[in-house]
Amino acid sequence: MTYEEYISYHKRGDAGVEERMIASLAYSLKLNQWDSFRLIYFYTMTYHIPSALTMLLEGQRDMKQLHFRTDRRYVRCNGAYDRMLKELNRGMLSALLAVKTTSDAYSVVSSWYFFGRYAAFLFLEVYMNVFKPQWVDDLRFKWEHDENYTKGAVYITKNGNREVLDAFLESAKMDTKDNCFAIETSLCAVAKFFKGTRYDGYYTERMLNEADNSKWRELIYNNV
């Protein structure tokens, strides 16, 4: 994949379709700031839009009635689910409303219980879509060798040098007019393209398939 092909893929929006859907749902449902924040939190807990809606709109808390996708299945283990619900408080939202940069936002979210790098990036990508904060986007990736976003960037740049990857990130943010968290998401998709487990349109198809099997089908489809 060339750099130009990557920029085109990112702009088509498939990789971040769910993150933008949460924003559309928050607007459609006329959620206030706190409920919008809770919807993002529940989505990050489950990585599953129908489950997040069920938690917010119906107050469902029975794990057996919810779906936990991919690595979020670990939320169900060792009391993590109950603790994440207990930890949720308005001070979390207040802290994010007060920060001025993406690096400070990441520091805030990654300090929360059970929010490692992946969950923090996911949360913040959705948060930026919903709240549209005017943060200075100064976060620098660590470019860990085994991370999918690093693999995706190396596939594109054909270079694993940190300076090259940092320059790539800055160029990609400028050319996509998007933020570092969204760039990370589409780079992960690129890595999975090369692995053969994803394709252009995969994430949109998955989101709609999951909507088809839920009570929230019309709500989700009406906001595509």
Side-chain angles (χ1 to χ4, degrees):
M1 178 180 282
T2 66
Y3 177 79
E4 290 74 20
E5 288 171 336
Y6 166 71
I7 297 300
S8 178
Y9 169 69
H10 184 96
K11 286 183 173 181
R12 288 198 295 278
D14 178 60
V17 66
E18 291 192 16
E19 291 83 345
R20 293 192 309 279
M21 174 55 70
I22 295 294
S24 295
L25 291 170
Y27 178 80
S28 176
L29 293 167
K30 296 180 172 58
L31 300 181
N32 60 33
Q33 284 190 331
W34 175 234
D35 284 340
S36 295
F37 182 90
R38 291 200 300 146
L39 180 62
I40 303 169
Y41 191 88
F42 296 150
Y43 172 68
T44 311
M45 286 180 67
T46 61
Y47 195 23
H48 186 251
I49 292 176
S51 292
L53 287 169
T54 299
M55 293 179 75
L56 179 72
L57 301 178
E58 296 187 348
Q60 179 61 257
R61 296 296 181 265
D62 183 353
M63 285 193 296
K64 295 179 181 178
Q65 303 302 315
L66 305 172
H67 181 74
F68 296 80
R69 193 204 293 147
T70 64
D71 72 322
R72 295 293 86 195
R73 63 188 181 274
Y74 297 114
V75 170
R76 300 174 300 183
C77 304
N78 302 315
Y81 174 78
D82 290 334
R83 181 170 172 184
M84 288 187 79
L85 290 177
K86 184 178 180 179
E87 296 271 334
L88 178 60
N89 66 83
R90 292 176 182 268
M92 293 172 161
L93 172 59
S94 297
L96 282 181
L97 290 173
V99 303
K100 303 298 183 183
T101 68
T102 53
S103 58
D104 286 344
Y106 177 71
S107 293
V108 168
V109 176
S110 60
S111 72
W112 300 344
Y113 173 72
F114 222 75
F115 275 78
R117 189 201 64 78
Y118 172 78
F121 270 50
L122 176 63
F123 181 95
L124 286 165
E125 182 180 356
V126 184
Y127 182 93
M128 292 190 77
N129 275 288
V130 175
F131 286 84
K132 301 188 182 307
Q134 299 302 304
W135 292 337
V136 175
D137 194 357
D138 65 342
L139 184 68
R140 295 293 179 268
F141 292 168
K142 292 184 178 180
W143 302 114
E144 301 97 325
H145 176 73
D146 292 331
E147 290 280 1
N148 278 325
Y149 77 88
T150 305
K151 294 177 182 178
V154 172
Y155 281 131
I156 296 164
T157 62
K158 310 298 190 292
N159 194 314
N161 180 276
R162 184 180 183 87
E163 291 183 359
V164 171
L165 296 176
D166 283 344
F168 162 79
L169 174 61
E170 293 308 311
S171 294
K173 288 192 297 186
M174 181 178 298
D175 291 337
T176 61
K177 295 180 174 58
D178 217 333
N179 60 75
C180 61
F181 307 116
I183 297 296
E184 188 265 0
T185 293
S186 59
L187 288 178
C188 287
V190 169
K192 293 175 181 179
F193 287 171
F194 282 90
K195 188 178 179 181
T197 59
R198 299 290 187 271
Y199 48 84
D200 195 352
Y202 172 90
Y203 296 99
T204 301
E205 184 178 288
R206 182 180 68 182
M207 180 184 73
L208 296 179
N209 284 341
E210 290 180 344
D212 282 338
N213 297 314
S214 79
K215 66 182 70 177
W216 308 110
R217 183 185 188 282
E218 289 190 16
L219 176 61
I220 294 170
Y221 269 72
N222 286 341
N223 283 280
V224 173

Coordinates of all heavy atoms in Angstrom, one line a residue, residues 29-109:
L29 N -30.0 11.0 19.5 CA -30.7 10.8 20.7 C -30.8 12.0 21.6 O -31.4 12.0 22.7 CB -30.1 9.6 21.5 CG -30.2 8.2 20.9 CD1 -29.2 7.2 21.6 CD2 -31.6 7.7 20.9
K30 N -30.1 13.1 21.1 CA -30.0 14.3 21.9 C -29.5 14.1 23.3 O -30.1 14.6 24.3 CB -31.4 15.0 21.9 CG -31.9 15.4 20.5 CD -33.3 16.1 20.6 CE -33.7 16.7 19.3 NZ -33.8 15.7 18.2
L31 N -28.4 13.3 23.4 CA -27.9 13.1 24.7 C -27.1 14.3 25.3 O -26.5 15.0 24.5 CB -26.9 11.9 24.6 CG -27.4 10.6 24.1 CD1 -26.3 9.5 24.1 CD2 -28.6 10.1 25.0
N32 N -27.2 14.5 26.6 CA -26.4 15.5 27.2 C -25.0 15.0 27.3 O -24.7 13.9 27.0 CB -27.0 15.9 28.6 CG -27.1 14.7 29.5 OD1 -26.3 13.8 29.5 ND2 -28.1 14.7 30.4
Q33 N -24.1 15.9 27.8 CA -22.7 15.6 27.9 C -22.5 14.3 28.7 O -21.7 13.4 28.3 CB -21.9 16.7 28.5 CG -21.7 17.9 27.5 CD -20.7 18.9 28.1 OE1 -20.6 19.1 29.3 NE2 -20.0 19.6 27.2
W34 N -23.1 14.2 29.9 CA -22.8 13.0 30.7 C -23.3 11.7 30.1 O -22.6 10.7 30.1 CB -23.5 13.3 32.1 CG -23.4 12.1 33.0 CD1 -24.4 11.5 33.7 CD2 -22.2 11.4 33.5 NE1 -24.0 10.4 34.5 CE2 -22.6 10.4 34.4 CE3 -20.9 11.6 33.2 CZ2 -21.7 9.5 35.0 CZ3 -19.9 10.7 33.8 CH2 -20.4 9.7 34.7
D35 N -24.5 11.7 29.5 CA -25.0 10.5 28.9 C -24.1 10.2 27.6 O -23.9 9.0 27.3 CB -26.4 10.6 28.5 CG -27.3 10.5 29.7 OD1 -26.9 10.0 30.7 OD2 -28.5 11.0 29.7
S36 N -23.7 11.2 26.9 CA -22.8 10.9 25.8 C -21.5 10.3 26.3 O -21.0 9.3 25.6 CB -22.5 12.3 25.0 OG -23.6 12.8 24.5
F37 N -21.0 10.8 27.4 CA -19.8 10.3 27.9 C -20.0 8.8 28.4 O -19.1 7.9 28.1 CB -19.4 11.1 29.1 CG -18.1 10.7 29.8 CD1 -16.9 11.2 29.4 CD2 -18.1 9.8 30.8 CE1 -15.7 10.8 30.0 CE2 -16.9 9.3 31.4 CZ -15.7 9.9 31.0
R38 N -21.1 8.5 29.0 CA -21.4 7.2 29.4 C -21.5 6.2 28.2 O -21.1 5.1 28.3 CB -22.7 7.1 30.3 CG -22.5 7.8 31.6 CD -23.6 7.3 32.6 NE -24.9 7.7 32.1 CZ -26.0 6.9 32.3 NH1 -25.9 5.7 32.9 NH2 -27.2 7.3 31.8
L39 N -22.2 6.7 27.1 CA -22.3 5.9 26.0 C -20.9 5.5 25.4 O -20.6 4.3 25.1 CB -23.1 6.6 24.9 CG -23.3 5.8 23.6 CD1 -24.1 4.5 23.8 CD2 -24.0 6.7 22.5
I40 N -20.0 6.4 25.4 CA -18.6 6.2 25.0 C -17.9 5.2 25.9 O -17.3 4.2 25.4 CB -17.8 7.5 24.9 CG1 -18.4 8.5 24.0 CG2 -16.4 7.2 24.4 CD1 -17.8 9.9 24.1
Y41 N -18.1 5.4 27.2 CA -17.5 4.5 28.2 C -18.1 3.0 28.0 O -17.3 2.1 28.0 CB -17.9 5.0 29.6 CG -17.1 4.4 30.7 CD1 -15.9 4.9 31.1 CD2 -17.6 3.3 31.4 CE1 -15.2 4.3 32.2 CE2 -17.0 2.8 32.5 CZ -15.7 3.3 32.9 OH -15.0 2.7 33.9
F42 N -19.4 2.9 27.9 CA -20.0 1.6 27.7 C -19.5 0.9 26.4 O -19.3 -0.3 26.3 CB -21.5 1.7 27.7 CG -22.1 2.1 29.0 CD1 -23.3 2.8 29.1 CD2 -21.4 1.9 30.2 CE1 -23.8 3.3 30.3 CE2 -21.9 2.3 31.5 CZ -23.1 3.0 31.5
Y43 N -19.4 1.7 25.4 CA -18.9 1.2 24.1 C -17.4 0.7 24.3 O -17.1 -0.4 23.7 CB -18.9 2.3 23.0 CG -18.3 1.8 21.7 CD1 -18.8 0.8 20.9 CD2 -17.1 2.5 21.3 CE1 -18.1 0.4 19.7 CE2 -16.5 2.1 20.1 CZ -17.0 1.1 19.3 OH -16.4 0.7 18.2
T44 N -16.6 1.4 25.0 CA -15.2 1.0 25.2 C -15.2 -0.2 26.1 O -14.3 -1.1 25.9 CB -14.4 2.2 25.8 OG1 -14.6 3.4 25.1 CG2 -12.9 1.8 25.8
M45 N -16.1 -0.4 27.0 CA -16.2 -1.6 27.8 C -16.5 -2.8 27.0 O -15.9 -3.9 27.2 CB -17.2 -1.4 28.9 CG -16.9 -0.5 30.0 SD -18.2 -0.4 31.3 CE -18.2 -2.1 31.9
T46 N -17.4 -2.7 26.0 CA -17.9 -3.8 25.3 C -17.3 -3.9 23.8 O -17.3 -5.0 23.2 CB -19.4 -3.8 25.2 OG1 -19.8 -2.6 24.5 CG2 -20.0 -3.8 26.6
Y47 N -16.9 -2.8 23.3 CA -16.6 -2.7 21.8 C -17.7 -3.2 21.0 O -17.5 -3.9 20.0 CB -15.2 -3.4 21.6 CG -14.6 -3.0 20.3 CD1 -14.8 -1.9 19.6 CD2 -13.7 -3.9 19.7 CE1 -14.2 -1.5 18.4 CE2 -13.0 -3.6 18.5 CZ -13.3 -2.4 17.8 OH -12.7 -2.1 16.6
H48 N -18.9 -2.9 21.3 CA -20.1 -3.4 20.7 C -21.2 -2.4 20.8 O -21.7 -2.2 21.9 CB -20.5 -4.8 21.3 CG -21.6 -5.5 20.6 ND1 -22.8 -5.6 21.2 CD2 -21.6 -6.2 19.4 CE1 -23.6 -6.4 20.4 NE2 -22.9 -6.7 19.3
I49 N -21.6 -1.8 19.7 CA -22.6 -0.7 19.8 C -23.9 -1.1 20.4 O -24.5 -0.4 21.2 CB -22.7 0.0 18.4 CG1 -21.5 0.7 18.0 CG2 -23.9 1.0 18.4 CD1 -21.5 1.3 16.6
P50 N -24.5 -2.2 19.9 CA -25.8 -2.6 20.5 C -25.8 -2.8 22.0 O -26.7 -2.4 22.7 CB -26.2 -3.9 19.8 CG -25.5 -3.7 18.4 CD -24.2 -3.1 18.8
S51 N -24.7 -3.3 22.5 CA -24.6 -3.5 23.9 C -24.4 -2.2 24.7 O -25.0 -2.0 25.7 CB -23.4 -4.4 24.3 OG -23.6 -5.8 23.8
A52 N -23.7 -1.3 24.1 CA -23.5 0.0 24.7 C -24.8 0.8 24.8 O -25.2 1.4 25.8 CB -22.5 0.9 23.9
L53 N -25.6 0.7 23.7 CA -27.0 1.3 23.7 C -27.9 0.6 24.8 O -28.6 1.3 25.5 CB -27.6 1.2 22.4 CG -27.0 2.1 21.3 CD1 -27.6 1.6 19.9 CD2 -27.3 3.5 21.5
T54 N -27.8 -0.7 24.9 CA -28.6 -1.4 25.9 C -28.2 -1.0 27.3 O -29.1 -0.8 28.2 CB -28.5 -2.9 25.7 OG1 -28.9 -3.3 24.4 CG2 -29.3 -3.7 26.7
M55 N -27.0 -0.8 27.5 CA -26.5 -0.4 28.9 C -27.0 1.0 29.2 O -27.4 1.3 30.3 CB -25.0 -0.4 28.9 CG -24.4 -1.8 28.9 SD -22.6 -1.9 29.0 CE -22.3 -1.5 30.7
L56 N -26.9 1.9 28.2 CA -27.3 3.3 28.4 C -28.8 3.5 28.5 O -29.3 4.1 29.4 CB -26.7 4.2 27.4 CG -27.1 5.7 27.5 CD1 -26.3 6.3 28.7 CD2 -26.8 6.5 26.2
L57 N -29.5 3.0 27.5 CA -30.9 3.3 27.3 C -31.8 2.4 28.1 O -33.0 2.8 28.5 CB -31.3 3.3 25.8 CG -30.5 4.2 24.9 CD1 -31.0 4.0 23.5 CD2 -30.7 5.7 25.4
E58 N -31.4 1.2 28.5 CA -32.2 0.3 29.2 C -31.7 0.0 30.6 O -32.3 -0.7 31.4 CB -32.4 -1.0 28.5 CG -33.2 -0.8 27.1 CD -33.5 -2.1 26.5 OE1 -33.0 -3.2 26.9 OE2 -34.3 -2.1 25.5
G59 N -30.5 0.5 30.9 CA -29.9 0.3 32.2 C -29.5 -1.2 32.4 O -29.3 -1.6 33.6
Q60 N -29.3 -1.9 31.3 CA -28.9 -3.3 31.5 C -27.5 -3.5 32.0 O -26.6 -2.8 31.6 CB -29.0 -4.0 30.1 CG -28.6 -5.5 30.1 CD -29.5 -6.3 30.9 OE1 -29.1 -6.7 32.0 NE2 -30.7 -6.6 30.4
R61 N -27.4 -4.3 33.1 CA -26.1 -4.5 33.7 C -25.7 -6.0 33.8 O -24.6 -6.3 34.2 CB -26.0 -3.9 35.1 CG -26.2 -2.4 35.1 CD -25.0 -1.7 34.4 NE -25.2 -0.2 34.4 CZ -25.7 0.5 33.4 NH1 -26.2 -0.1 32.3 NH2 -25.8 1.8 33.5
D62 N -26.6 -6.9 33.3 CA -26.3 -8.3 33.4 C -25.4 -8.6 32.2 O -25.7 -8.5 31.1 CB -27.6 -9.1 33.2 CG -27.4 -10.6 33.3 OD1 -26.3 -11.1 33.4 OD2 -28.5 -11.3 33.3
M63 N -24.2 -9.1 32.6 CA -23.2 -9.4 31.5 C -23.7 -10.4 30.5 O -23.3 -10.4 29.4 CB -21.9 -9.9 32.2 CG -21.0 -8.8 32.8 SD -19.4 -9.4 33.2 CE -19.7 -10.6 34.4
K64 N -24.5 -11.3 31.0 CA -25.0 -12.4 30.1 C -25.9 -11.8 29.0 O -26.1 -12.5 28.0 CB -25.8 -13.4 30.9 CG -24.9 -14.2 31.9 CD -25.7 -15.2 32.7 CE -24.9 -15.9 33.7 NZ -25.7 -16.9 34.5
Q65 N -26.4 -10.6 29.2 CA -27.2 -10.0 28.2 C -26.5 -9.1 27.2 O -27.1 -8.4 26.3 CB -28.3 -9.2 28.8 CG -29.2 -10.0 29.8 CD -29.9 -11.1 29.1 OE1 -30.4 -11.0 28.0 NE2 -29.9 -12.3 29.7
L66 N -25.2 -9.0 27.4 CA -24.3 -8.1 26.6 C -23.3 -8.9 25.8 O -23.0 -10.0 26.2 CB -23.6 -7.1 27.5 CG -24.5 -6.3 28.5 CD1 -23.6 -5.5 29.5 CD2 -25.4 -5.3 27.7
H67 N -22.8 -8.3 24.8 CA -21.7 -8.9 24.0 C -20.4 -8.1 24.2 O -20.4 -6.9 24.1 CB -22.1 -8.9 22.5 CG -21.1 -9.6 21.6 ND1 -20.9 -10.9 21.6 CD2 -20.2 -9.0 20.7 CE1 -20.0 -11.2 20.7 NE2 -19.5 -10.1 20.2
F68 N -19.3 -8.8 24.4 CA -18.0 -8.2 24.5 C -17.1 -8.7 23.4 O -16.8 -9.9 23.3 CB -17.4 -8.6 25.9 CG -18.2 -8.1 27.1 CD1 -19.4 -8.8 27.5 CD2 -17.8 -7.0 27.7 CE1 -20.1 -8.3 28.6 CE2 -18.6 -6.5 28.8 CZ -19.7 -7.2 29.2
R69 N -16.8 -7.8 22.5 CA -16.1 -8.2 21.3 C -14.6 -8.1 21.5 O -14.0 -7.3 22.2 CB -16.5 -7.2 20.1 CG -16.0 -7.7 18.8 CD -15.9 -6.6 17.8 NE -17.2 -6.1 17.5 CZ -17.4 -4.8 17.2 NH1 -16.3 -4.0 17.2 NH2 -18.5 -4.3 16.9
T70 N -13.9 -9.0 20.8 CA -12.4 -9.1 20.8 C -11.8 -9.0 22.1 O -12.2 -9.8 23.1 CB -11.8 -8.0 19.8 OG1 -12.1 -6.7 20.3 CG2 -12.4 -8.2 18.4
D71 N -10.8 -8.2 22.3 CA -10.1 -8.2 23.6 C -10.9 -7.7 24.8 O -10.6 -7.9 25.9 CB -8.8 -7.4 23.5 CG -9.0 -5.9 23.5 OD1 -10.0 -5.5 22.8 OD2 -8.3 -5.1 24.1
R72 N -12.1 -7.0 24.5 CA -12.9 -6.6 25.6 C -13.6 -7.7 26.3 O -14.2 -7.5 27.4 CB -14.0 -5.7 25.0 CG -13.5 -4.4 24.4 CD -12.9 -3.4 25.4 NE -11.5 -3.7 25.7 CZ -10.8 -3.2 26.7 NH1 -11.4 -2.5 27.6 NH2 -9.6 -3.5 26.9
R73 N -13.4 -9.0 25.8 CA -14.0 -10.1 26.6 C -13.3 -10.2 27.9 O -13.9 -10.8 28.9 CB -13.8 -11.4 25.8 CG -12.3 -11.8 25.5 CD -12.3 -13.0 24.5 NE -10.9 -13.4 24.3 CZ -10.1 -12.9 23.3 NH1 -10.6 -11.9 22.6 NH2 -8.9 -13.3 23.1
Y74 N -12.1 -9.7 28.1 CA -11.4 -9.7 29.4 C -12.1 -8.8 30.4 O -11.8 -9.0 31.6 CB -10.0 -9.4 29.2 CG -9.2 -10.3 28.3 CD1 -8.7 -9.9 27.1 CD2 -9.1 -11.7 28.7 CE1 -8.0 -10.8 26.3 CE2 -8.4 -12.6 27.9 CZ -7.9 -12.1 26.6 OH -7.2 -13.0 25.8
V75 N -13.0 -7.9 30.0 CA -13.7 -7.1 30.9 C -14.6 -8.0 31.8 O -14.9 -7.6 32.9 CB -14.5 -6.0 30.1 CG1 -15.5 -5.3 31.1 CG2 -13.6 -5.0 29.4
R76 N -15.0 -9.1 31.3 CA -15.9 -10.0 32.0 C -15.1 -10.8 33.1 O -15.8 -11.5 33.9 CB -16.5 -11.0 31.1 CG -17.3 -10.4 30.0 CD -17.8 -11.4 29.0 NE -16.7 -12.1 28.3 CZ -16.9 -13.0 27.4 NH1 -18.1 -13.4 27.0 NH2 -15.8 -13.6 26.8
C77 N -13.8 -10.7 33.2 CA -13.0 -11.6 34.1 C -12.6 -10.9 35.3 O -12.4 -9.7 35.3 CB -11.8 -12.1 33.3 SG -12.1 -12.9 31.8
N78 N -12.5 -11.6 36.4 CA -11.9 -11.2 37.6 C -12.4 -9.9 38.2 O -11.7 -9.1 38.8 CB -10.3 -11.0 37.4 CG -9.7 -12.3 37.0 OD1 -10.0 -13.4 37.5 ND2 -8.8 -12.2 36.0
G79 N -13.7 -9.7 38.0 CA -14.4 -8.6 38.6 C -14.2 -7.2 37.9 O -14.6 -6.2 38.4
A80 N -13.5 -7.3 36.7 CA -13.2 -6.0 36.0 C -14.5 -5.3 35.6 O -14.6 -4.0 35.7 CB -12.4 -6.3 34.8
Y81 N -15.5 -6.0 35.2 CA -16.7 -5.4 34.7 C -17.4 -4.6 35.9 O -17.7 -3.4 35.7 CB -17.7 -6.5 34.2 CG -19.1 -6.0 33.8 CD1 -19.3 -5.3 32.6 CD2 -20.2 -6.2 34.7 CE1 -20.6 -4.9 32.3 CE2 -21.4 -5.7 34.4 CZ -21.6 -5.1 33.2 OH -22.9 -4.6 32.8
D82 N -17.6 -5.2 37.0 CA -18.2 -4.5 38.1 C -17.4 -3.3 38.6 O -17.9 -2.3 38.9 CB -18.4 -5.5 39.3 CG -19.5 -6.5 39.0 OD1 -20.4 -6.2 38.2 OD2 -19.4 -7.6 39.6
R83 N -16.1 -3.5 38.6 CA -15.2 -2.4 39.0 C -15.3 -1.2 38.0 O -15.3 0.0 38.4 CB -13.8 -2.8 39.2 CG -12.9 -1.7 39.7 CD -11.5 -2.1 40.2 NE -10.7 -0.9 40.5 CZ -9.4 -1.0 40.8 NH1 -8.8 -2.2 40.9 NH2 -8.7 0.1 41.0
M84 N -15.3 -1.5 36.7 CA -15.4 -0.4 35.8 C -16.7 0.4 35.9 O -16.7 1.6 35.8 CB -15.3 -1.0 34.3 CG -13.9 -1.5 34.0 SD -13.8 -2.0 32.2 CE -13.6 -0.4 31.4
L85 N -17.8 -0.3 36.2 CA -19.0 0.4 36.5 C -19.0 1.2 37.7 O -19.4 2.3 37.8 CB -20.2 -0.6 36.6 CG -20.6 -1.3 35.3 CD1 -21.7 -2.4 35.5 CD2 -21.0 -0.3 34.2
K86 N -18.3 0.7 38.7 CA -18.2 1.4 40.0 C -17.3 2.6 39.9 O -17.6 3.7 40.5 CB -17.6 0.4 41.1 CG -17.5 1.1 42.5 CD -17.0 0.0 43.5 CE -16.9 0.7 44.9 NZ -16.4 -0.3 45.9
E87 N -16.3 2.5 39.0 CA -15.3 3.6 38.9 C -15.9 4.8 38.1 O -15.4 5.9 38.2 CB -14.1 3.1 38.2 CG -13.3 2.0 39.0 CD -12.3 2.6 39.9 OE1 -11.8 3.8 39.6 OE2 -11.9 2.0 40.9
L88 N -16.9 4.5 37.2 CA -17.4 5.5 36.4 C -18.0 6.7 37.2 O -18.9 6.5 38.0 CB -18.5 4.9 35.5 CG -19.3 5.9 34.5 CD1 -18.3 6.5 33.5 CD2 -20.3 5.1 33.8
N89 N -17.5 7.9 36.9 CA -18.0 9.1 37.7 C -17.9 10.3 36.8 O -17.1 10.4 35.9 CB -17.3 9.2 39.0 CG -15.8 9.5 38.8 OD1 -15.4 10.7 38.6 ND2 -15.0 8.5 38.9
R90 N -18.6 11.4 37.2 CA -18.6 12.6 36.5 C -17.3 13.3 36.5 O -17.0 14.2 35.6 CB -19.7 13.6 37.0 CG -21.1 13.1 36.7 CD -22.1 14.0 37.4 NE -23.5 13.5 37.2 CZ -24.3 13.9 36.2 NH1 -23.8 14.7 35.2 NH2 -25.5 13.4 36.0
G91 N -16.4 13.0 37.5 CA -15.1 13.6 37.5 C -14.3 13.3 36.3 O -13.4 14.0 35.9
M92 N -14.5 12.1 35.7 CA -13.8 11.7 34.5 C -14.1 12.6 33.4 O -13.1 13.0 32.7 CB -14.2 10.2 34.1 CG -13.8 9.2 35.1 SD -14.5 7.6 34.6 CE -13.5 6.4 35.5
L93 N -15.3 12.9 33.2 CA -15.7 13.9 32.1 C -15.1 15.3 32.4 O -14.6 15.9 31.5 CB -17.2 14.0 32.0 CG -17.8 15.0 31.1 CD1 -17.3 14.9 29.7 CD2 -19.3 15.0 31.1
S94 N -15.2 15.7 33.6 CA -14.7 17.0 34.0 C -13.2 17.1 33.7 O -12.7 18.2 33.2 CB -14.9 17.3 35.5 OG -16.3 17.4 35.7
A95 N -12.5 16.1 34.0 CA -11.0 16.0 33.7 C -10.7 16.2 32.3 O -9.8 17.0 31.9 CB -10.4 14.8 34.3
L96 N -11.5 15.5 31.4 CA -11.2 15.6 30.0 C -11.7 17.0 29.4 O -11.0 17.5 28.5 CB -12.0 14.5 29.2 CG -11.3 13.1 29.3 CD1 -12.1 12.1 28.5 CD2 -9.9 13.2 28.7
L97 N -12.7 17.5 30.0 CA -13.2 18.9 29.5 C -12.1 19.9 29.8 O -12.1 21.0 29.2 CB -14.5 19.2 30.1 CG -15.7 18.4 29.7 CD1 -16.9 18.8 30.5 CD2 -16.0 18.7 28.2
A98 N -11.2 19.7 30.8 CA -10.3 20.6 31.2 C -8.9 20.6 30.5 O -8.2 21.5 30.5 CB -10.0 20.5 32.7
V99 N -8.6 19.5 29.8 CA -7.3 19.3 29.2 C -7.3 20.1 27.8 O -8.3 20.4 27.3 CB -6.9 17.8 28.9 CG1 -7.0 17.1 30.3 CG2 -7.8 17.2 27.9
K100 N -6.0 20.3 27.4 CA -5.8 21.1 26.2 C -5.1 20.4 25.1 O -5.1 20.9 23.9 CB -5.0 22.4 26.5 CG -5.6 23.3 27.6 CD -7.0 23.8 27.2 CE -7.5 24.8 28.3 NZ -8.9 25.2 27.9
T101 N -4.6 19.2 25.3 CA -3.8 18.5 24.4 C -4.2 17.0 24.3 O -4.7 16.5 25.3 CB -2.3 18.6 24.7 OG1 -2.0 17.8 25.9 CG2 -1.8 20.0 24.8
T102 N -3.9 16.3 23.2 CA -4.2 14.9 23.1 C -3.3 14.1 24.1 O -3.7 13.0 24.6 CB -4.0 14.4 21.7 OG1 -2.7 14.7 21.2 CG2 -5.0 14.9 20.8
S103 N -2.1 14.6 24.3 CA -1.2 13.8 25.2 C -1.7 13.9 26.7 O -1.7 12.9 27.4 CB 0.3 14.4 25.2 OG 0.3 15.8 25.5
D104 N -2.2 15.1 27.0 CA -2.8 15.2 28.4 C -4.1 14.3 28.5 O -4.4 13.7 29.5 CB -3.1 16.6 28.7 CG -1.9 17.4 29.0 OD1 -0.8 16.8 29.3 OD2 -1.9 18.7 29.0
A105 N -4.9 14.3 27.4 CA -6.1 13.5 27.4 C -5.8 12.0 27.6 O -6.4 11.3 28.3 CB -6.9 13.8 26.1
Y106 N -4.7 11.6 26.9 CA -4.3 10.2 27.0 C -3.8 9.9 28.4 O -4.1 8.8 28.9 CB -3.2 9.9 26.0 CG -2.7 8.5 26.1 CD1 -3.4 7.4 25.7 CD2 -1.4 8.3 26.6 CE1 -3.0 6.1 25.8 CE2 -0.9 7.0 26.7 CZ -1.7 5.9 26.3 OH -1.3 4.6 26.5
S107 N -3.1 10.8 29.0 CA -2.7 10.6 30.4 C -3.9 10.4 31.3 O -3.8 9.6 32.2 CB -1.8 11.8 30.9 OG -0.6 11.8 30.1
V108 N -4.9 11.2 31.1 CA -6.1 11.1 32.0 C -6.8 9.8 31.8 O -7.0 9.1 32.7 CB -7.1 12.3 31.6 CG1 -8.4 12.0 32.3 CG2 -6.5 13.6 32.1
V109 N -7.0 9.4 30.5 CA -7.8 8.2 30.3 C -7.0 6.9 30.6 O -7.6 6.0 31.2 CB -8.3 8.1 28.8 CG1 -9.0 6.8 28.5 CG2 -9.2 9.3 28.5

